[in-house]
Amino acid sequence: MAAAARRKPRGGGDVMDSIYSVVALVLILVACVELGDAATAVDVYRLIQYDIAGSPFGSRHAALNHHAGASPFDSGVDLSRTVLILPVRDLNLTSLKEYITNKQPLGGLLLLLPRRSSDDSSEDGLSRNILVELEQLLIHANIPYPVYFAFEDEKINAVLADVRRSEAAGQPATATTGGYKFVVSTSEPRKVTSPTITNIQGWLPGLKGNTDAKQLPTIAIVASYDTFGAAPALSVGSDSNGSGVVALLEIARLFSGLYSNPKTQGKYNLLFGLTSGGPYNYNGTLKWLRSFDQRLRESIDYAICLNSIGSWNNELWMHVSKPPENAYIKQVFDSLSDVAKEMGVTIGIKHKKINISNSRVAWEHEQFSRVRVTAATLSELPAAPELFERTGGLYDTRGAVDDRAVHKSVKLVAESLARHIYGHKGKDIQIFADNSSLAINSAYMNSWMELLSRTPRVAPFLSKNDPFISALKKELSDHTVDLHVQHESLDGLFSFYDSTRATLNIYQVASVTFDLILLLVLGSYLILLFCFLVITTRGLDDLINMFRRPPTRKVKGA
């Protein structure tokens, strides 16, 4: 009897241990079902988030956890907990603009971009125009939900096709029907504190003779290198303004060869400036000019700014702030026109007065004009772009640049500068003739264009020690002397937020009905298992007693 009494509680312990083991196993299985059915993971790029004078623009959130949908903007459909997948190829911009303008609720937006490649022409024509309009719509709107970009590939296309099939069958993804769930686990974006802009200056001193080199006249060649676009992590700006940077580096290389020999060293100083803050009213150019002493500023005969010169055919534009009749402007224009005629291309001139009361600066040369320095901008654009327009957006990739156009731009500027410096104006003399030791190096320019087309350059996300900044410094130092680097804070008018890229996890989830059925089956199984274990170890009477109502205290007292 004593032995039996000792065994009885031990049997009860065995039952409870068994039950705990079963429950733990079931929980593990459920967790595996919930977490182990991720369909795929995709790299995504968030729509830019920024403020102008405190006014919010762009996407204001980053975290995402909603079901996927593919049939946008249906009337009467609640999309507040839906992430819409919209391929840019098939995008209805009118509907999207109306949806954003009316501030309709939406869980999130995933825009699929055509896959990029160096020889891809998919972004030309209609697709390019759609990207231009889409980008302008998104960056000038205040969007209260996450917006991401991703590139089309087999994985995301398969998910999109599956979602479309479900919706065509009348089974859109919801909590009750299941489907695909998009999850981006990231903290809320934080404001970038004290974003910096970096200006890089190189100097080629002219032939001194009996005078100080600083007293010689100076010609400046300038290009802004940073970009701005709807997705900071994708804003490579091959044409705007990668083409201008490539042209400046090649011009510096060409004149470095001439100025390295005292016999061919010109009597002009050459000042090369790679400036930052271009999309933000050329804020870096303004601060660079303010750092000049009065003597240097007065020594500048004129400055040529290079902007978007990579996709023109036979006509280039020279934009100026002073009237074309101005002696210095006429001299620069005539010099360029002479070379242009020999090359079989034309160059036009556009005059736009500066409105001092307006803080908007459309062209880089306007910052020079504001400090009374003669300057002009060479560009393929016939008119001044608006704020954040043509600043290296989604469409501005390697395929948007014609290498021949960049080559012609370098030839035009370098030849006109050389004729002015060496007094050969009006003479048909080719200083940088093809197949000569001073010929333009296309391979050199192509290598830099490839690098620029792979490097996002949105200034607030470029640190002082960024590898790209270091590469520009090294390259310009190889072709110039007295390299100077200037670090400044971006104008406080603009504020930016981090979280520019993330990983999108796509889960294929079952419906709530399936979960309830599964829970019911598991619960029934556990109850039957529990009863079986109690009966086999303690007997049927003990099982029945477990479910009997315990006697009250009054009964016990009686």
Side-chain angles (χ1 to χ4, degrees):
M1 293 292 293
R6 286 194 300 268
R7 285 195 302 269
K8 190 171 183 179
R10 183 180 175 184
D14 292 340
V15 172
M16 298 308 297
D17 290 342
S18 301
I19 293 174
Y20 292 149
S21 300
V22 171
V23 172
L25 178 61
V26 170
L27 291 176
I28 292 173
L29 289 174
V30 171
C32 291
V33 170
E34 288 294 325
L35 302 178
D37 57 343
T40 187
V42 178
D43 292 327
V44 291
Y45 310 91
R46 194 169 76 96
L47 174 64
I48 194 164
Q49 179 180 352
Y50 68 102
D51 301 336
I52 300 181
S55 299
F57 294 95
S59 175
R60 311 307 295 184
H61 293 284
L64 198 63
N65 189 353
H66 295 302
H67 285 86
S71 298
F73 319 127
D74 291 337
S75 58
V77 177
D78 181 15
L79 299 176
S80 60
R81 297 192 61 80
T82 300
V83 181
L84 290 181
I85 317 172
L86 300 180
V88 172
R89 300 177 188 273
D90 310 324
L91 188 60
N92 186 331
L93 272 174
T94 304
S95 298
L96 178 60
K97 184 176 182 178
E98 182 180 351
Y99 203 87
I100 292 176
T101 304
N102 294 334
K103 300 187 181 300
Q104 297 293 321
L106 186 63
L109 187 60
L110 178 64
L111 295 162
L112 300 184
L113 302 170
R115 173 58 64 179
R116 288 179 175 177
S117 63
S118 59
D119 58 349
D120 185 20
S121 60
S122 63
E123 295 177 13
D124 294 339
L126 181 61
S127 296
R128 180 187 175 95
N129 293 334
I130 290 176
L131 283 172
V132 172
E133 292 184 43
L134 172 65
E135 190 156 34
Q136 290 302 304
L137 168 64
L138 295 177
I139 64 178
H140 292 297
N142 178 4
I143 303 177
Y145 44 80
V147 179
Y148 283 96
F149 297 91
F151 288 107
E152 294 178 350
D153 60 15
E154 294 181 358
K155 297 185 293 183
I156 194 67
N157 287 342
V159 172
L160 176 60
D162 204 1
V163 172
R164 283 176 170 173
R165 280 194 298 269
S166 299
E167 293 184 349
Q171 296 179 338
T174 63
T176 56
T177 61
Y180 287 93
K181 178 167 280 192
F182 285 2
V183 179
V184 174
S185 300
T186 183
S187 58
E188 283 306 301
R190 293 175 296 180
K191 185 178 291 188
V192 178
T193 56
S194 302
T196 59
I197 49 179
T198 302
N199 299 317
I200 307 170
Q201 168 188 309
W203 183 266
L204 276 180
L207 185 62
K208 296 180 181 179
N210 296 324
T211 61
D212 185 359
K214 291 186 178 180
Q215 295 179 348
L216 293 173
T218 301
I219 298 175
I221 301 93
V222 187
S224 178
Y225 65 83
D226 60 334
T227 60
F228 179 93
L234 300 177
S235 300
V236 297
S238 298
D239 189 13
S240 303
N241 189 32
S243 59
V245 173
V246 169
L248 182 144
L249 292 176
E250 175 61 4
I251 293 170
R253 189 192 68 82
L254 292 172
F255 279 93
S256 175
L258 285 172
Y259 274 55
S260 62
N261 187 342
K263 294 182 179 180
T264 55
Q265 189 175 8
K267 294 184 179 181
Y268 279 81
N269 299 320
L270 291 179
L271 177 64
F272 296 92
L274 290 168
T275 59
S276 183
Y280 323 111
N281 295 324
Y282 295 97
N283 190 243
T285 308
L286 174 63
K287 294 181 177 180
W288 180 51
L289 290 173
R290 285 178 175 173
S291 70
F292 291 178
D293 58 40
Q294 188 67 21
R295 196 161 129 191
L296 171 59
R297 192 179 302 169
E298 291 177 351
S299 75
I300 299 177
D301 264 15
Y302 61 87
I304 295 180
C305 305
L306 306 174
N307 184 297
S308 301
I309 52 175
S311 60
W312 61 287
N313 293 320
N314 295 313
E315 188 173 31
L316 200 63
W317 295 96
M318 177 175 147
H319 298 271
V320 294
S321 300
K322 294 182 178 181
E325 296 79 17
N326 179 277
Y328 285 103
I329 296 297
K330 193 174 186 305
Q331 177 184 349
V332 176
F333 180 70
D334 289 344
S335 180
L336 290 168
S337 296
D338 290 342
V339 179
K341 288 178 184 177
E342 297 171 11
M343 295 174 57
V345 299
T346 60
I347 181 167
I349 188 168
K350 294 277 188 176
H351 174 221
K352 174 181 172 292
K353 290 184 179 180
I354 296 177
N355 184 359
I356 300 296
S357 61
N358 187 359
S359 61
R360 171 77 181 113
V361 179
W363 296 112
E364 188 164 18
H365 74 266
E366 293 182 11
Q367 293 290 20
F368 284 84
S369 298
R370 287 171 186 252
V371 295
R372 303 185 183 279
V373 174
T374 301
T377 294
L378 284 183
S379 177
E380 68 209 13
L381 305 178
E386 297 296 331
L387 180 66
F388 297 145
E389 184 182 16
R390 297 300 298 259
T391 52
L394 296 170
Y395 61 90
D396 195 353
T397 59
R398 183 67 177 92
V401 175
D402 183 355
D403 294 337
R404 294 169 298 179
V406 184
H407 187 281
K408 288 188 294 184
S409 301
V410 172
K411 181 84 169 177
L412 177 64
V413 176
E415 285 289 352
S416 64
L417 283 176
R419 292 183 188 186
H420 177 73
I421 291 171
Y422 297 107
H424 297 319
K425 183 181 178 182
K427 301 178 183 178
D428 187 7
I429 298 177
Q430 296 245 350
I431 297 176
F432 303 105
D434 296 338
N435 301 320
S436 69
S437 59
L438 292 174
I440 296 173
N441 190 335
S442 297
Y444 172 81
M445 292 194 296
N446 287 341
S447 64
W448 268 100
M449 183 58 69
E450 292 295 333
L451 175 62
L452 288 159
S453 299
R454 296 192 306 266
T455 309
R457 304 184 302 280
V458 179
F461 306 107
L462 282 177
S463 66
K464 298 177 182 179
N465 301 318
D466 189 271
F468 175 74
I469 301 293
S470 300
L472 284 181
K473 288 160 51 178
K474 181 182 183 306
E475 193 62 31
L476 198 57
S477 67
D478 289 344
H479 306 313
T480 61
V481 298
D482 193 19
L483 186 81
H484 177 68
V485 179
Q486 178 190 25
H487 299 295
E488 293 283 349
S489 296
L490 183 63
D491 193 337
L493 181 69
F494 300 92
S495 301
F496 295 86
Y497 296 78
D498 58 10
S499 297
T500 60
R501 63 175 69 201
T503 299
L504 171 66
N505 293 301
I506 304 176
Y507 297 95
Q508 190 169 11
V509 295
S511 65
V512 171
T513 304
F514 174 79
D515 292 338
L516 290 174
I517 294 174
L518 180 61
L519 183 61
L520 181 61
V521 171
L522 290 175
S524 301
Y525 171 76
L526 288 175
I527 292 173
L528 291 176
L529 181 61
F530 175 77
C531 295
F532 174 76
L533 292 174
V534 172
I535 292 172
T536 54
T537 56
R538 302 176 61 181
L540 181 59
D541 291 339
D542 286 345
L543 177 62
I544 295 173
N545 290 332
M546 290 177 64
F547 295 100
R548 281 180 176 174
R549 184 176 180 180
T552 63
R553 291 185 177 180
K554 184 181 291 186
V555 174
K556 287 184 177 180

